[in-house]
Amino acid sequence: MKSVIRLVSILLSMLILSAALFSVPAGAVTFDCDVTTYSDSILMINLDTGMEVYSKDADAQRYPANLTKIMTYIVAAEYFDDFDNTKIPVKQSIVDGVLDSGMTTSGMEWHTGENLSVTDILYEMMMTQGHDAALLLADYIGEGDISAFVELMNEKAQQLGCTGTHFANPTGVHDADHYTTARDLGIMTRYAMGLPLFSKICGTATYYMEGDDYPIVTTNYMIDPGRGGEYFYTYATGVKNGTTEQAGRCLVATAVYDGYAYLCICLHAPYDEEKEKTDQYCMIEAADLFRWAFLNLTFVTAVTRSTPVCEQQVDHAWDTESILLVPETDLNIVLPDDYTDGDVTITPDSTDSVSAPITKGDVVTTATVSYRGEPFTTINLVAGDSVAVSPILYTTDAIRTVLTSPWFLLAVGVIVILFIIYVSVSSSYAKKRRRDKRR
């Protein structure tokens, strides 16, 4: 009996664990926002909680232009162990290819024949709009085959869960088969921010490569107080911008103020190469969205680990019929300043009874968290206390389950039919024997 109980407990735990591992946000909430926007796709994420607070067509596939290099950075950063001491040759063929095709350069033509550190090349790639630095990295890592590097980019995108993304090159030059989404770029950027030097490089306005007396200058005006002009935003901290005729103006930006950090992705803002060459609509709207978030959203602990969310029925328990479920961790979110306690609701995803034994802290089910009826994330609900199993109740229930199961009833029916057939055949055989004796 103990072995049976142990087996059932293990299976139950495995099922619960699987549900916990594959739980994902139920959706994104968009708070009321009066900011004038220009981009066709926008996504804004609170980096302290991972919560999406504003979105606009965030899953539409768009051309990412130079934002492609966020993934190029990811693949390169995970390939090299030592950024400073690993040197990469600046091939004449790579530089000539960029110049001959009319692509934008970042200044690598001045270093042809030299060996540059990975650090310097990464700064050159992420701070400028040039494509030569990205191609140098792709050529080196792909061992002369840039398509092999692109394959690594797509593999990494899949690993990260970027379902709306496909890369055709490491630079962001236009290709009909080269696209992503604002939500996927959010995934990539948050991942990249955990890699060495990424945030530092993407937050740098001026950088001198080793041996140079002229600087690399960022094209992200939001973080450049000297050259940013009207686009400079005091609280901006990075990341990168890009432009092509097909992609329009694109931007991934971060900002920090008063302990709050936000990530804003803007794709396909208006761009006319002849008429609006200097207009950076995505930077204007990003700054306005940051101001809105900093001034109108507040950090809230909606429930703590000790807050009961619901009561769940327990089968086979020794001395109780139910158990209180609490959040696995504190639920920290951001909400509008004018929120009320009733705006946030937590609804268990399953009300089915669970079977003892249960240990305090075991994940029992998940719950959907909603803001004014709009789901935006899920949380795990765990047992608030331990519950011991009752062998008598367990055995009784097991017997009842067996006796009422369709297979048991079918077996009984077959046995009854076979018995009737046996009786009928035996009776016929007995009658035949009696007739034979009389003869």
Side-chain angles (χ1 to χ4, degrees), residues 35 40 145 150 167 200 243 253 261 295 350 403:
V35 171
D40 289 332
D145 184 358
V150 175
F167 296 110
K200 181 179 180 181
T243 305
L295 295 176
S350 173
L403 294 178

Side-chain angles (χ1 to χ4, degrees), residues 105-380:
T105 65
S106 60
M108 286 297 171
E109 63 269 27
W110 303 107
H111 297 277
T112 303
E114 299 178 19
N115 293 321
L116 299 181
S117 70
V118 172
T119 298
D120 282 347
I121 296 175
L122 289 175
Y123 268 97
E124 190 95 40
M125 180 178 73
M126 299 307 291
M127 290 179 63
T128 74
Q129 299 293 300
H131 300 319
D132 39 10
L135 290 170
L136 284 173
L137 291 170
D139 177 78
Y140 184 88
I141 296 172
E143 299 180 348
D145 184 358
I146 291 177
S147 63
F149 182 88
V150 175
E151 186 175 342
L152 294 176
M153 295 172 67
N154 285 314
E155 288 176 359
K156 192 64 183 181
Q158 290 182 354
Q159 290 175 12
L160 295 177
C162 300
T163 57
T165 295
H166 183 268
F167 296 110
N169 58 70
T171 61
V173 295
H174 178 66
D175 188 301
D177 200 31
H178 187 95
Y179 51 83
T180 187
T181 69
R183 180 161 285 113
D184 283 357
L185 275 169
I187 295 172
M188 293 180 230
T189 304
R190 292 176 66 192
Y191 183 84
M193 291 174 71
L195 297 175
L197 283 183
F198 180 84
S199 295
K200 181 179 180 181
I201 291 175
C202 294
T204 300
T206 303
Y207 176 78
Y208 287 86
M209 293 174 60
E210 184 179 356
D212 284 354
D213 55 3
Y214 53 91
I216 301 171
V217 178
T218 184
T219 58
N220 184 359
Y221 300 142
M222 295 187 74
I223 63 170
D224 192 339
R227 292 168 289 264
E230 63 179 305
Y231 303 115
F232 173 69
Y233 180 59
T234 303
Y235 304 109
T237 56
V239 176
K240 190 168 181 60
N241 64 306
T243 305
T244 66
E245 180 182 352
Q246 298 84 358
R249 297 288 191 188
C250 301
L251 174 71
V252 173
T254 53
V256 178
Y257 170 75
D258 196 26
Y260 292 83
Y262 284 91
L263 170 67
C264 186
I265 300 106
C266 304
L267 300 179
H268 203 252
Y271 171 69
D272 186 312
E273 189 172 0
E274 298 298 326
K275 299 179 181 179
E276 305 177 58
K277 191 168 184 178
T278 60
D279 291 336
Q280 296 284 349
Y281 288 105
C282 50
M283 295 187 185
I284 295 172
E285 66 189 352
D288 288 342
L289 285 166
F290 285 136
R291 294 187 188 97
W292 162 76
F294 290 140
L295 295 176
N296 295 280
L297 303 181
T298 188
F299 183 87
V300 176
T301 300
V303 290
T304 68
R305 287 177 292 178
S306 60
T307 305
V309 172
C310 65
E311 194 172 13
Q312 199 90 342
Q313 182 180 341
V314 179
D315 296 332
H316 316 133
W318 182 259
D319 57 357
T320 185
E321 294 182 352
S322 62
I323 189 173
L324 292 176
L325 302 185
V326 298
E328 187 175 29
T329 60
D330 294 348
L331 176 60
N332 299 313
I333 56 178
V334 289
L335 295 174
D337 289 335
D338 60 353
Y339 82 96
T340 62
D341 291 339
D343 287 341
V344 178
T345 56
I346 304 175
T347 308
D349 295 327
S350 173
T351 56
D352 296 339
S353 61
V354 293
S355 181
I358 300 172
T359 303
K360 182 178 180 179
D362 283 351
V363 177
V364 175
T365 186
T366 57
T368 299
V369 184
S370 303
Y371 173 77
R372 294 181 178 176
E374 187 177 358
F376 66 88
T377 192
T378 60
I379 59 173
N380 288 331

Side-chain angles (χ1 to χ4, degrees), residues 358-432:
I358 300 172
T359 303
K360 182 178 180 179
D362 283 351
V363 177
V364 175
T365 186
T366 57
T368 299
V369 184
S370 303
Y371 173 77
R372 294 181 178 176
E374 187 177 358
F376 66 88
T377 192
T378 60
I379 59 173
N380 288 331
L381 296 181
V382 302
D385 290 296
S386 297
V387 178
V389 67
S390 169
I392 297 175
L393 292 177
Y394 186 91
T395 304
T396 302
D397 190 64
I399 294 172
R400 181 170 58 251
T401 300
V402 170
L403 294 178
T404 58
S405 70
W407 290 109
F408 178 81
L409 296 176
L410 178 62
V412 171
V414 170
I415 292 172
V416 170
I417 292 172
L418 291 174
F419 180 76
I420 293 173
I421 294 173
Y422 171 78
V423 171
S424 177
V425 171
S426 298
S427 177
S428 298
Y429 180 73
K431 289 179 180 179
K432 183 177 179 300

